[in-house]
Amino acid sequence: MKQSIIKFLSENLISVSKPARYIGGEYNSVVKEVDEKTLRVALAFPDVYEVGMSHYGLEILYWLANELDFAYAERIFLPWPDMIQKMEEKGIPLFALETKTPIYEMDVLGISLEYELSYTNVLKLLELSKIPIRCYDRREEDPIVLGGGPVAYNCEPIAEAFDAIYLGDGEVNFQNVLRVIKETKGMKREDRLKELAKVEGIYIPMFYRQEGSRILPKYDFVPSKVRRNILKDLDSVKLPERKIVPHLESVHDRVVVEISRGCTRGCRFCHAGYVYRPVRERSAESTEEGIKKLIKNTGYDEVSLLSLSALDHSQINEIIDRLMPYVKERTLSISIPSTRVDAFNIKLAEKISTVRKTGLTFAPEAGSQRMRDAINKQINLEDILATAQEAKRAGWRRIKLYFMVGFPNETEEDIREIGEVVKKIKNLGFSDITASINLLIPKPHTAFQFARLQSPEYMDMVKKILSPYRKFGKLDINDGKKSFIEGILSRGDRKLFPVIEKVYKEGYYDEWGEYFSFEKWTKYFQEMNIERYLGPYELVDFPWDHLDTGVSKEFLWDEYKNYFSATTTKDCRNGCTLCRICLDYKVSNVIKGTLESQ
């Protein structure tokens, strides 16, 4: 089959879009000698090559697996539909980029779960791999299908597609998982999964059942609640020294270095802010060393400092000061992802932009002060305008703003205030303003897991209210349809799996606008009562209660109640807020700088 795959590629690549997606052999990709004792690992990102090659988590797992002398990890991405059509016509199965080995010949298939709208892609990826899509139907010789990523904290709608789910930071136990899979080769599949269930942070869906809204163990050898893996200190693990340089431009085509993981702010809507607690900073010294090695080993001319809130890093000024001579000497640029308005240091931004000035991106999230207080954003209009004014003086002309709508008890005036913020920033003299306005998706393990999901029609009202403000900037108002589907899937349970299965057979790539079909999803949702997934909820049983992030449900309930009284909760750098993660997991915030530097 491997020879058939190579022959297929040589004959068909010229007739598909972006053939470089499928050839492998990129600079810094791993080549290993393989024999019958080698554990063959396929690491899949269920989206197109350019997106998957930008994913930092997949990159970490790739290097972790290839550190092991007994394992060889290769990459897989979902081909674009034109390539899929040709593969299906010729009977070609999905294959690994590095060696063109069919996925069904691998020992492990690891699939990243980053967003719910990729569920149809996951099933298509399994189908193309010639692997049964349900874990119960797999044969002894099929790969162990392992899932992980942020969506894993409520994987129930797609859980039956996986033999095992990994919760938490890959650096902690991913290599141990591979060891268990290696050591149990030759055993019956169910016995292998029993051994995997002994590893901290591993959830085996087939060993659990749904009863009402709860997911309960079928057997006493699995825990009623699966605890996540938490890396206590980022400096305790080495940064990857190399990065695969893709053959074509990826979404984030630059060196990426994670300077911190987790966030202490406590924004009530933020899934990442809760499930990645506590905050763990990487030291300035380690960051500088890692960036220099990656630049040397890749040739990139841009560095991105990855973090949920990069400018909250206690050593951010030291990091930039360390990097600036190196950056200037090599004409590199530094980028920082979307940051909080109140954390923004204009002098720091001027340092960063001395080589190459780019636009600024901020996320006020809500237009009115009432709503900003309610969602615990803890910024005010004066912060927003003062920061924008300073940026204008420093020479920036482009600014992008992110907002959300659809919160409980939101008023028309709250929505109108979004337009007023855009208008006030326009009046400061910005020539290019973009405001992105999206429907709230109430995520599991956040304070808004109890809230109601608004229908797409809500966004029609938003468009009407904000229409007069289009003269002040580009208002990118989402139609709410994708958000609505994602909202149902994010708080779903196992009863949704048959719906996902029917939808994927009609089409996939739902994250992509040209392939997303709201009508396709709603057609199959009509076959069941989706009201149960819309909310609002009281303090009830959820189908994700058995998957533990460490943040207590009671804390989230209190935060939800605080939303309605617009009571703010302090940043936990300034004192414990009793979310329970540090108490129950024996971890703590890791702040590298001194109090004076924060």
Side-chain angles (χ1 to χ4, degrees), residues 286-545:
S286 173
T287 300
E288 177 192 17
E289 180 184 339
I291 287 172
K292 288 181 177 179
K293 285 180 179 177
L294 282 165
I295 291 292
K296 179 182 177 181
N297 292 330
T298 62
Y300 274 110
D301 61 1
E302 184 177 353
V303 178
S304 178
L305 304 180
L306 179 63
S307 171
L308 290 176
S309 189
L311 295 181
D312 281 345
H313 195 295
S314 62
Q315 293 183 318
I316 188 64
N317 283 291
E318 183 181 344
I319 290 171
I320 298 303
D321 287 343
R322 281 172 172 265
L323 289 175
M324 286 316 296
Y326 180 80
V327 163
K328 288 179 180 178
E329 180 185 342
R330 288 161 178 77
T331 322
L332 309 176
S333 63
I334 301 174
S335 65
I336 291 178
S338 170
T339 187
R340 291 176 56 88
V341 175
D342 63 331
F344 187 74
N345 182 322
I346 203 67
K347 291 180 181 178
L348 187 67
E350 285 188 85
K351 283 183 189 176
I352 294 171
S353 65
T354 51
V355 178
R356 198 182 300 169
K357 239 183 184 74
T358 56
L360 296 174
T361 303
F362 296 124
E365 308 296 358
S368 70
Q369 192 59 48
R370 181 182 85 90
M371 291 303 298
R372 285 192 293 270
D373 288 343
I375 64 177
N376 207 43
K377 192 67 182 176
Q378 298 193 34
I379 56 171
N380 56 46
L381 183 60
E382 289 71 30
D383 293 326
I384 297 169
L385 297 181
T387 299
Q389 181 69 60
E390 287 300 312
K392 175 70 169 54
R393 287 175 187 160
W396 272 275
R397 294 293 177 269
R398 294 188 290 117
I399 190 166
K400 186 167 186 177
L401 305 166
Y402 282 97
F403 296 94
M404 280 188 292
V405 294
F407 294 106
N409 293 357
E410 185 175 60
T411 67
E412 291 188 11
E413 185 57 32
D414 292 323
I415 296 169
R416 191 171 293 109
E417 285 294 325
I418 293 173
E420 289 296 322
V421 171
V422 174
K423 177 181 176 181
K424 288 179 170 67
I425 291 178
K426 176 68 174 179
N427 289 340
L428 294 176
F430 279 92
S431 59
D432 187 348
I433 304 172
T434 301
S436 177
I437 299 124
N438 298 287
L439 184 66
L440 170 72
I441 303 170
K443 291 285 188 176
H445 303 290
T446 73
F448 285 114
Q449 67 181 356
F450 306 99
R452 182 166 181 82
L453 171 65
Q454 298 286 358
S455 70
E457 287 73 27
Y458 191 89
M459 299 306 289
D460 295 334
M461 177 190 71
V462 172
K463 288 177 183 177
K464 185 175 180 182
I465 293 170
L466 293 179
S467 180
Y469 295 94
R470 291 189 180 277
K471 58 188 174 185
F472 302 112
K474 180 186 175 185
L475 302 187
D476 182 10
I477 303 174
N478 188 287
D479 66 9
K481 291 179 178 178
K482 275 190 188 177
S483 299
F484 183 74
I485 302 303
E486 187 177 335
I488 291 173
L489 295 174
S490 73
R491 293 191 297 187
D493 55 21
R494 296 191 178 189
K495 294 179 181 178
L496 285 176
F497 190 92
V499 172
I500 298 168
E501 187 177 7
K502 290 174 183 176
V503 170
Y504 108 88
K505 289 178 178 176
E506 289 194 15
Y508 38 94
Y509 273 119
D510 288 288
E511 184 69 13
W512 293 74
E514 61 264 49
Y515 290 106
F516 173 76
S517 168
F518 183 68
E519 292 70 28
K520 176 181 65 176
W521 283 97
T522 53
K523 175 175 70 174
Y524 291 114
F525 280 150
Q526 288 172 4
E527 297 178 2
M528 62 187 305
N529 176 21
I530 64 164
E531 188 65 32
R532 61 186 292 167
Y533 306 117
L534 301 183
Y537 306 102
E538 295 295 318
L539 195 56
V540 296
D541 293 326
F542 288 129
W544 54 87
D545 285 344

Side-chain angles (χ1 to χ4, degrees), residues 85-152:
Q85 182 180 352
K86 289 190 175 295
M87 290 171 69
E88 290 178 333
E89 286 174 356
K90 305 290 185 180
I92 297 297
L94 193 58
F95 52 88
L97 279 185
E98 277 76 358
T99 62
K100 310 302 181 290
T101 302
I103 304 309
Y104 62 72
E105 292 184 7
M106 295 292 195
D107 298 300
V108 186
L109 171 58
I111 303 177
S112 295
L113 294 172
E114 296 299 312
Y115 30 85
E116 289 84 357
L117 286 175
S118 71
Y119 286 167
T120 50
N121 287 11
V122 169
L123 298 190
K124 189 64 183 178
L125 188 146
L126 289 169
E127 180 197 302
L128 280 174
S129 302
K130 311 297 184 188
I131 298 170
I133 66 169
R134 279 183 169 80
C135 59
Y136 313 106
D137 300 330
R138 295 200 179 119
R139 301 150 295 200
E140 296 294 337
E141 65 273 17
D142 285 323
I144 299 293
V145 181
L146 178 68
V151 172

Side-chain angles (χ1 to χ4, degrees), residues 71-85:
Y72 183 20
E74 305 179 56
R75 294 161 296 135
I76 301 95
F77 306 103
L78 188 66
W80 197 242
D82 60 348
M83 182 65 159
I84 289 176
Q85 182 180 352

